[in-house]
Amino acid sequence: MPIEKPASSSTSGTPLAAQPRTQASLASSLRMAIGRLNRRLRNEREDDSLTLNQLSALGALERLGPTPVGELAAHERVRPPSMTRIISNLEELGLVVREPHPVDRRLAVVRITEAGLGKTAADRKRRNAWLANQLRTLTPEERKQLRDVLPILEKLTRS
């Protein structure tokens, strides 16, 4: 199913023949571009002593606050036993602590520590610096286009 009729010229600088013409080709092109950007950002990690799953769990705890392991697993879309292993490893490193649930004492919540916050901040700072440097190579119009598409990309991440 066509998305739109291509114009005679492209404002993005992409040759018209290379622009996606169907929903399927748009999905494929978007997936590949985001995947390449994601891999490039992962390569900018300052500290490879943590796995990507561990960093993701730390970031989720930073955003969510103290969270039961099962809820964290659901949020991260991993199985609870996998999240338990991730949390155990992070706990051994002093990056998270388990504490009693404030309401249901049968449960525990996981909280990120100051050391964990330091790890996520350092990782975020390095990758943000790389991306900011790359954005400087774009034209003002290209940066505006990226700003305009951000809400759409955010919407896709919530589906």
Side-chain angles (χ1 to χ4, degrees):
M1 150 170 50
I3 295 174
E4 61 186 46
K5 191 134 183 131
S8 59
S9 66
S10 167
T11 59
S12 69
T14 304
L16 291 177
Q19 292 184 354
R21 298 180 66 153
T22 66
Q23 293 288 356
S25 65
L26 174 60
S28 179
S29 295
L30 184 60
R31 178 187 51 76
M32 288 188 303
I34 290 173
R36 284 191 301 269
L37 180 58
N38 188 34
R39 279 190 299 280
R40 189 61 187 92
L41 284 167
R42 281 191 314 236
N43 288 337
E44 288 302 314
R45 289 179 51 210
E46 184 172 87
D47 178 1
D48 62 357
S49 66
L50 298 178
T51 67
L52 292 172
N53 286 338
Q54 289 170 328
L55 274 174
S56 184
L58 284 174
L61 287 169
E62 186 175 6
R63 289 185 303 279
L64 300 171
T67 307
V69 172
E71 286 180 30
L72 186 58
H75 181 270
E76 292 292 291
R77 297 184 180 186
V78 299
R79 296 177 191 256
S82 296
M83 184 55 69
T84 298
R85 282 190 299 280
I86 290 168
I87 294 303
S88 294
N89 290 334
L90 292 172
E91 194 172 27
E92 287 174 15
L93 296 169
L95 303 176
V96 301
V97 293
R98 294 179 208 241
E99 302 172 331
H101 191 282
V103 176
D104 187 346
R105 294 290 186 193
R106 297 171 297 170
L107 295 176
V109 294
V110 180
R111 178 180 56 80
I112 190 169
T113 64
E114 289 299 319
L117 290 170
K119 284 278 191 187
T120 59
D123 181 69
R124 189 177 306 113
K125 181 179 178 181
R126 180 166 177 94
R127 293 196 275 173
N128 282 350
W130 177 84
L131 190 53
N133 189 48
Q134 298 308 306
L135 291 173
R136 281 192 280 282
T137 68
L138 302 178
T139 67
E141 176 60 27
E142 289 169 328
R143 287 191 297 272
K144 180 189 178 308
Q145 289 173 345
L146 280 175
R147 278 187 206 92
D148 291 345
V149 80
L150 282 175
I152 299 167
L153 292 173
E154 286 294 330
K155 182 177 179 180
L156 289 174
T157 67
R158 290 187 299 268
S159 61

